[in-house]
Amino acid sequence: MKEKIRNKFLGISEPSDNRLRSLIILVVWMILITLLIFYVRSYNVNNPKEEVITFNNLGDIFSIYKDYNYEIIINDLDDNVTTYKGTMKNTIDTGVKTKGEESISYKVESNIITDTTTNTVIDNLYDDYLAYFFLPSNIYSYVSYLNGEEKEDKNIKTYTFKYVYDDKDIVFEIETTYDKLNNIVISHDDRIYNIKYIKI
């Protein structure tokens, strides 16, 4: 008994005291680690990481449109509307042109345009519209040499290119998600061309 008192006085602990102290320290550390794990998990649930979207190069996006459905809506200042709606497959273009009350079903193959209703060759399908830019490859071929502006908003990226075509200002606004074309708007000579391509 005297020895125990002397040991406590000198700061010497009994082996059983060391074990008890170690056990208490171990339990306290386990509780702290458990609380830390719960905190980290609840933080990750309440504050999920934002997904980082990487946009494909514009040339790569355009290159996937070999076979596609399309809709081209042309508006002018007099509220006249002309629509081309069709499919490009294996370099053969088939569709319907609607202008006012008139419509023409057409097929374009090897640069020969046929009215498929009357089975006759026609040459006035595109009037004086910018038919060159009806093809996605031609749009990219043209804008790829221009300096444009890029704007990102969440999962949408918009490219704007301005230049002069046939002595008139031309503006291309190309809206993409990370790997596809959403919409293309071309403004030229008081006309607005709204173009949509859907890959097939």
Side-chain angles (χ1 to χ4, degrees):
M1 184 73 168
K2 285 183 183 179
E3 192 176 324
K4 279 189 178 180
I5 293 170
R6 185 173 60 80
N7 286 345
K8 283 192 178 183
F9 180 74
L10 294 173
I12 301 168
S13 58
E14 293 292 311
S16 62
D17 288 346
N18 281 340
R19 274 190 241 119
L20 182 60
R21 185 179 301 135
S22 296
L23 183 62
I24 290 170
I25 290 171
L26 179 64
V27 169
V28 168
W29 274 109
M30 286 178 68
I31 291 170
L32 288 173
I33 290 170
T34 304
L35 289 172
L36 182 63
I37 289 169
F38 277 117
Y39 173 76
V40 168
R41 283 188 180 169
S42 66
Y43 180 82
N44 286 341
V45 168
N46 294 330
N47 300 292
K49 283 186 179 179
E50 283 190 28
E51 185 181 347
V52 177
I53 294 175
T54 304
F55 289 88
N56 285 356
N57 168 304
L58 192 59
D60 292 338
I61 293 174
F62 269 95
S63 71
I64 68 170
Y65 291 88
K66 304 288 187 214
D67 293 336
Y68 54 87
N69 294 320
Y70 63 86
E71 182 176 52
I72 301 165
I73 301 172
I74 306 164
N75 294 278
D76 64 22
L77 289 178
D78 298 324
D79 292 329
N80 295 314
V81 178
T82 303
T83 303
Y84 295 85
K85 192 169 185 176
T87 300
M88 175 70 78
K89 190 162 188 180
N90 298 324
T91 70
I92 299 172
D93 181 2
T94 56
V96 176
K97 172 188 175 183
T98 305
K99 186 173 185 177
E101 300 295 316
E102 299 175 11
S103 66
I104 299 172
S105 296
Y106 60 84
K107 177 168 125 179
V108 182
E109 184 175 6
S110 302
N111 292 324
I112 297 171
I113 306 169
T114 306
D115 179 333
T116 56
T117 304
T118 61
N119 206 26
T120 55
V121 174
I122 57 175
D123 59 5
N124 63 342
L125 180 66
Y126 300 116
D127 302 321
D128 60 344
Y129 299 131
L130 296 180
Y132 176 79
F133 295 119
F134 288 6
L135 298 175
S137 57
N138 289 350
I139 293 174
Y140 181 70
S141 172
Y142 189 79
V143 301
S144 64
Y145 293 100
L146 304 178
N147 291 321
E149 297 174 4
E150 298 177 16
K151 193 190 307 180
E152 276 185 38
D153 182 22
K154 294 185 181 174
N155 63 341
I156 293 174
K157 190 169 190 176
T158 305
Y159 299 83
T160 303
F161 300 92
K162 298 178 182 178
Y163 202 59
V164 175
Y165 186 80
D166 281 349
D167 298 323
K168 296 181 176 77
D169 291 340
I170 190 166
V171 179
F172 296 83
E173 288 182 15
I174 302 169
E175 182 185 284
T176 70
T177 55
Y178 74 100
D179 66 346
K180 69 177 183 179
L181 295 168
N182 283 354
N183 194 47
I184 299 172
V185 177
I186 303 173
S187 305
H188 180 261
D189 193 22
D190 299 328
R191 288 183 179 141
I192 308 283
Y193 299 76
N194 280 287
I195 303 172
K196 288 186 186 300
Y197 301 115
I198 299 170
K199 182 179 176 295
I200 53 173

